Amino acid sequence: DVELLRQAWINESLSPEVLAYKEELVDRVRSLISSQEQIVEEYEQDHAKALTRMIRFAELNRIKFSLRSYLRKRLSKIEAFAIHIFVNEELSSRLSPQELEFVKEYIDSENRLFQDTILNYLPKDYDSLIHQSEAMETEVPDMIPEPELDKYVFIKVTDDLGDIPLDDNSTFRLQEDDIFAIRYKLVKDFVLQDRVELC
């Protein structure tokens, strides 16, 4: 589970968009941390197991660091692309219930802050957080930051994927254990299916 968490953290860190929350994995790691903390506490009274306690304590801290880093990276993406995630049903479904609640409160707080400090003092046509100008309003909001899906990422293929289509009507073969630098949007679905790891 610790290796799976490490890979989930790497994937989350290197992916330009928020990935699906690994709820079962996080729950298993949290219970592992809890049981390891109990073992470390039991070893505290036994001086003969001081070295074992120190090793377990160091490993416990490493696991906690990985879990905190995974969750922190998710929150930083949620803050960066809050409105985009909230209005996109597919991206919203990737969040945990707590993250979804956080994104709602974050958007509300950010909206209140901008309304109170800046937007109330601008001309009516320019007082929107999602449109550059109400006079030129389009169906699609033009001021919501979105992740850059054309970004190049390094991938390691974990499953034979066969030929994948490229933008120029050609195909590219991805076989197990291949490592490539490729545009994220071409392998996005494979990352979400855990058939490709970011590295």
Side-chain angles (χ1 to χ4, degrees), residues 29-163:
V29 169
R30 282 184 173 152
S31 67
L32 173 69
I33 288 171
S34 178
S35 67
Q36 289 295 321
E37 284 175 337
Q38 289 174 351
I39 292 170
V40 168
E41 284 178 21
E42 290 170 8
Y43 285 178
E44 199 167 307
Q45 305 304 324
D46 189 354
H47 296 294
K49 295 184 178 179
L51 180 62
T52 305
R53 179 184 173 278
M54 286 177 20
I55 292 170
R56 283 188 181 264
F57 187 72
E59 178 66 11
L60 180 62
N61 283 335
R62 188 177 73 86
I63 295 168
K64 284 180 176 180
F65 173 80
S66 296
L67 180 60
R68 280 193 306 265
S69 297
Y70 170 71
L71 297 172
R72 197 175 296 129
K73 186 61 184 179
R74 291 183 61 78
L75 280 179
S76 71
K77 285 183 185 179
I78 290 169
E79 287 176 355
F81 307 115
I83 297 173
H84 175 69
I85 291 170
F86 187 69
V87 298
N88 185 315
E89 195 173 311
E90 178 192 351
L91 293 176
S92 291
S93 70
R94 296 179 189 174
L95 303 181
S96 71
Q98 295 88 352
E99 289 171 335
L100 195 56
E101 185 64 30
F102 172 79
V103 79
K104 289 175 188 175
E105 290 176 13
Y106 183 83
I107 291 169
D108 186 46
S109 297
E110 189 177 58
N111 191 32
R112 275 196 320 269
L113 172 71
F114 281 117
Q115 286 294 336
D116 293 346
T117 58
I118 300 169
L119 298 177
N120 285 338
Y121 303 102
L122 293 176
K124 183 174 177 359
D125 286 345
Y126 299 96
D127 65 352
S128 172
L129 276 178
I130 60 174
H131 294 287
Q132 287 185 34
S133 168
E134 296 294 325
M136 300 184 309
E137 186 174 324
T138 60
E139 287 285 321
V140 180
D142 55 1
M143 285 184 43
I144 297 177
E146 297 180 12
E148 180 57 54
L149 299 182
D150 269 340
K151 171 184 169 184
Y152 276 85
V153 293
F154 284 96
I155 63 164
K156 180 179 181 195
V157 183
T158 59
D159 198 6
D160 275 334
L161 302 175
D163 294 335

Side-chain angles (χ1 to χ4, degrees), residues 139-198:
E139 287 285 321
V140 180
D142 55 1
M143 285 184 43
I144 297 177
E146 297 180 12
E148 180 57 54
L149 299 182
D150 269 340
K151 171 184 169 184
Y152 276 85
V153 293
F154 284 96
I155 63 164
K156 180 179 181 195
V157 183
T158 59
D159 198 6
D160 275 334
L161 302 175
D163 294 335
I164 65 162
L166 299 176
D167 291 338
D168 59 0
N169 295 329
S170 61
T171 59
F172 190 72
R173 180 172 296 277
L174 294 177
Q175 296 175 333
E176 189 173 353
D177 294 328
D178 284 346
I179 297 176
F180 292 105
I182 192 167
R183 283 200 321 267
Y184 176 78
K185 73 177 186 178
L186 297 175
V187 293
K188 168 184 159 177
D189 293 334
F190 299 127
V191 172
L192 293 172
Q193 297 166 6
D194 291 326
R195 299 177 74 191
V196 162
E197 294 175 349
L198 300 178

